[in-house]
Every structure is written in structure tokens, then in C-alpha cells.
Amino acid sequence: MKVLLIGSGGREHALAAALIQDPSLTELHVAPGNPGIEAIALCHVIDIDDNLAVLHLAKELEIELVVIGPEKPLVNGLADLLRGAGIACFGPSAAAAQLEGSKDFAKKVMSDAGVPTAKSFTCNTRDEIEAALDTFGAPYVVKHDGLAAGKGVVVTDDRNFAIEHALQSSQVVIEEFLDGPEVSLFGISDGRHVIPMQPAQDFKRAYDGELGPNTGGMGAYSPLPWAPSDLIEQTLAQVLNPTIQEMAARGTPFVGLLYAGLAITNKGTKVIEFNARFGDPESQVLLPRLKTPLAQLLFRAATGALIEGEELEWSDESAVTVVLASAGYPTAPVLGEPILGVDPIEGSFVYQAGTNRRDGILRSAGGRVLAVTGMGSDLTEARNRAYRTISAITLRGSHYRSDIALNAAVAEQGN
Ligand code: AMP
Ligand code: GLY
């Protein structure tokens, strides 16, 4: 099978690394890719926000399956165009991608499907905003309605700051604060059936101890030894299945990866957000653990051929990913710095995220530069491998968190 993967981040590097393990794959093409992906696939530098350019490339290469990594091309309708041209595509239509593209839309779908989530108000005026904030009280949760590349959500005790953030968008969702550990759980769907993956936990804050600003994700681990044993089953029954059925009933079936961001509260598991694509950096811990051949799985999802109740096959190993971020990330990342010492020890991988190569030298080209994954028989061993590899890398001014999966590893040792 000839596959074209769209994207250029750490998630796509992990997707590419998993796709090439599948014996049914004959050629892997990536647009635009990055220097890390270039080492394992054929990269094509095109503008992935130009749907026609992607369609043209897919036709020229006689691609049998397109896998779309990032959200923007999905919201832009790339999957619609490709499917319309008869090319199988793993990724939802523009209409279905609104589950990520509009917080208000996601809330309406959850309400109609009976999916547990935070109570919320959608607000368009200052009066509505203030009334909603005062209904829930602090901590205030304010979300811009549209895609905001991770910058749309503010959680704060400062009422004035909450109002100010809300007024920056013409429509916001203000919701009740959900207290409890966060879990990311993904479902792979063909529009009618949905197969759950294993859960992962993402670390969104920039600095150790959950301090600093929100980021795209500074690290992740999987599996979660502390999670309730019925988490997957419950999420499938209460979140993934009802959402997929609701989207189908609306005439806009969701084909692709449904990302459920969950909070495990003392009143049960509730949805914090949906995304319409693989998570980053969750993919960098999930995909190295997945044994089911990925290209075939995504092709079956893209062509409506998943089987009710089928299960994925997983390695028993644990995985921990630590993200190396540029100086100044997330506020004002410094780019163009040379990266030295990328030399993964056994049992670890370095996925490139924001990199390029200039004058033969690998350089930083984004806020999140590398995602280093360690594998091991438990989280402690996986952490040790990830941290040994990342600590040998030199990138001026860069930073990474030292506490990824730490609490879970300590708790696991205690059991
Ligand atoms: P989102 O983009 O919706 O995932 O929000 C980014 C982050 O803000 C989440 O990962 C949570 O840490 C936090 N957040 C969002 N909604 C809530 C909520 N209702 N209660 C508590 N934290 C939230
Ligand atoms: N890790 C968060 C995201 O992919 O949106």
C-alpha cells in the first residue's frame, strides 16, 4: 500500500515510524515532513494548507491512503476533497472536524449524544460573559470557540483576566471547572464503529510541578497504572460510541481519530475537549506501543471496514516522552539554533518536531523541537531511558520538564 502522510511534527514522525513497520506498506510519502522523517520516508515540500496541491501530489504518486496529521487541513476540508476524488483518507470531513474546530459545536453534539462534560454557556456579549463567569465562580474556564493553536483556553482565578480573554473572541464557551487528573483517550473510527486505543497522560504546563503557561504538551506517558480498570470500557460506552453514533445520525460521520480529553472527577469521567486527530505528544508514547499494523488499521477505518468490538494489540512495555522545547517557548521561541548530541540510547527514540537542516546542520525551527521517548518494562525504566537520551542533547537555551511521569512511576514502584 502507498501511503501519504500529511504533517511535519513529532506526531507525524511517530506516525511515520509506526507506518513503516506495517508489512503491507510499500511506499511512505510525507508532506512536508522534517529532517527526522526524511530519514525513513520520502518527503515532499508542498503547502499542506493548499488542498489542491495535496490532491495533485496524491494523484501523481498514485496514493492509496492519505493520513492527515494536523487539524488545520481537516477543518479546511482536505479530507472531503480527497474522498471526493476517490482517494481513501484517514481524517474527518470539514463538517465532522468541527468537533475540534468549534467548542460550541462540540458541546451541542455532546449534549445531544448524552456525553458527560462540563456545564457551559456559549457567550457573545460582555453581559453574557460576566453572567456565565459568575454562575460558575472561580477558577474560571474561558475557551475561544474556534481553532486557536493551543492559545484559546484560559483557566484563571482572575475575573478581569477571564473577561479580557473572553472579549478577544467574538464567541466563547465559558464552562464549569473540572477537578481531577486528565487523561487522553483516542478512538479510531470508520464513521460507524470506533475502536479505543489505550489511555495516555499529557503534561500541558511548561514547567515542573504543573507551573507556568499552557503549552501544546511537554511530555506524556502510557499506560496509566493508576487509572480505573474500566476506564477504556466506560469511555467507549459513554463518550466515543455515542459521539460517533450522533455524528452519523447528523449525516456527518466522523472518519478518523476522535481524541477525547477527559477529566476523572469525583462525579465521574467528563470530557474536557475533543480533537479530530492524533494527539501530540501522546502519539509518541502510544504508537511505539501499538503492535497492530497501523497502515492496514487506518486503511480499514478510511474505507468503513472496522469490525464491531475489535481490539488493538499492545506491547506490555511502558513509554515516556519528554519534549525538548526552544528557549522562550511557549511565549516567544528562539529558532535557528544548532542541535547536537542526538544519539538515542537503546530503548529510546528521538522524534523530530520543530527542526530543519541548514548548511548541513540540524537546527531548531519550532517551539517544541524534539520529543524523546523511552521504553521500558515499567515507567521508571522508560523514564530513565528518555532522560538519559534527552540530557545528552545540546540546544542553547532549551528546556524540558524533569517530572514527566514521575508521580506515576513512584506510585507504580510502591505497588
Ligand atoms: P483544551 O484546549 O480544551 O484541552 O484546554 C486546555 C487545557 O485547559 C486542558 O488540558 C485543561 O488542563 C484545561 N481545561 C480546559 N477545560 C477545563 C475545565 N473545564 N476544567 C478544568 N480545566 C480545564
Ligand atoms: N496533546 C494535546 C493535543 O494534541 O492537543
Side-chain angles (χ1 to χ4, degrees):
M1 185 183 351
K2 287 188 180 186
V3 177
L4 171 62
L5 169 66
I6 304 299
S8 62
R11 163 185 52 212
E12 286 76 25
H13 194 170
L15 280 164
L19 286 166
I20 59 170
Q21 304 289 321
D22 185 329
S24 72
L25 183 118
T26 52
E27 281 175 30
L28 179 61
H29 297 269
V30 185
N34 66 36
I37 298 172
E38 236 168 61
I40 57 173
L42 297 155
C43 290
H44 305 266
V45 180
I46 60 163
D47 176 6
I48 60 168
D49 294 327
D50 178 349
N51 290 350
L52 285 170
V54 177
L55 175 65
H56 182 75
L57 181 68
K59 279 188 169 163
E60 188 178 284
L61 298 168
E62 298 178 343
I63 293 297
E64 294 163 86
L65 171 69
V66 178
V67 178
I68 303 177
E71 60 275 16
K72 198 162 160 230
L74 295 168
V75 171
N76 286 347
L78 177 57
D80 304 76
L81 184 73
L82 292 166
R83 274 198 279 272
I87 301 171
C89 180
F90 184 79
S93 65
Q98 284 302 104
L99 277 180
E100 173 164 2
S102 164
K103 304 276 185 196
D104 176 56
F105 176 79
K107 285 289 182 188
K108 289 198 172 108
V109 170
M110 284 189 264
S111 165
D112 290 351
V115 170
T117 185
K119 291 195 195 82
S120 71
F121 293 104
T122 297
C123 308
N124 304 93
T125 67
R126 188 181 182 110
D127 285 349
E128 287 170 4
I129 290 163
E130 293 200 31
L133 293 173
D134 294 336
T135 302
F136 298 126
Y140 303 107
V141 182
V142 180
K143 303 184 173 187
H144 291 178
D145 185 51
L147 280 190
K151 298 198 176 72
V153 177
V154 150
V155 180
T156 177
D157 285 329
D158 181 337
R159 188 172 178 277
N160 287 331
F161 181 62
I163 295 172
E164 206 177 290
H165 180 70
L167 291 172
Q168 284 166 13
S169 175
S170 58
Q171 177 156 292
V172 291
V173 170
I174 291 177
E175 65 180 35
E176 134 193 57
F177 179 78
L178 296 177
D179 203 5
E182 283 181 45
V183 169
S184 304
L185 210 153
F186 305 161
I188 292 181
S189 181
D190 66 0
R192 288 175 302 146
H193 312 103
V194 55
I195 312 175
M197 297 185 79
Q198 288 206 349
Q201 190 167 46
D202 175 20
F203 291 74
K204 289 238 166 78
R205 298 293 186 124
Y207 312 125
D208 281 9
E210 297 309 309
L211 297 175
N214 251 315
T215 69
M218 293 297 290
Y221 66 97
S222 174
L224 313 180
W226 52 268
S229 58
D230 61 353
L231 178 68
I232 297 179
E233 201 183 322
Q234 289 278 336
T235 306
L236 181 63
Q238 292 175 10
V239 177
L240 299 175
N241 248 324
T243 304
I244 292 302
Q245 299 322 324
E246 173 65 24
M247 293 302 286
R250 287 169 172 241
T252 51
F254 185 98
V255 176
L257 188 124
L258 179 59
Y259 170 135
L262 306 168
I264 302 185
T265 77
N266 56 18
K267 290 184 192 139
T269 299
K270 297 189 181 185
V271 174
I272 287 193
E273 66 162 341
F274 281 136
N275 291 319
R277 39 126 191 119
F278 281 95
D280 188 344
E282 293 95 327
S283 299
Q284 291 91 313
V285 289
L286 290 170
L287 295 171
R289 299 188 53 236
L290 182 68
K291 285 191 181 166
T292 307
L294 186 64
Q296 291 165 59
L297 174 67
L298 301 186
F299 183 78
R300 287 195 298 115
T303 53
L306 295 178
I307 298 157
E308 183 73 42
E310 75 176 278
E311 288 186 9
L312 301 176
E313 214 192 320
W314 296 91
S315 141
D316 289 334
E317 282 197 308
S318 297
V320 173
T321 292
V322 184
V323 169
L324 185 75
S326 297
Y329 177 78
T331 328
V334 178
L335 312 181
E337 293 287 337
I339 307 164
L340 300 168
V342 177
D343 191 11
I345 63 160
E346 202 179 325
S348 75
F349 308 101
V350 175
Y351 298 115
Q352 296 192 17
T355 61
N356 64 19
R357 200 178 283 285
R358 232 182 330 120
D359 313 323
I361 297 168
L362 188 68
R363 292 173 188 273
S364 57
R368 293 188 292 173
V369 181
L370 305 172
V372 178
T373 297
M375 308 285 293
S377 57
D378 58 13
L379 289 172
T380 300
E381 186 177 37
R383 286 187 86 240
N384 287 342
R385 287 177 171 159
Y387 279 109
R388 268 179 59 199
T389 293
I390 203 170
S391 63
I393 299 173
T394 307
L395 169 64
R396 187 159 32 155
S398 64
H399 58 102
Y400 59 86
R401 280 182 61 162
S402 67
D403 63 349
I404 303 299
L406 178 60
N407 291 341
V410 170
E412 188 183 37
Q413 293 294 309
N415 285 333

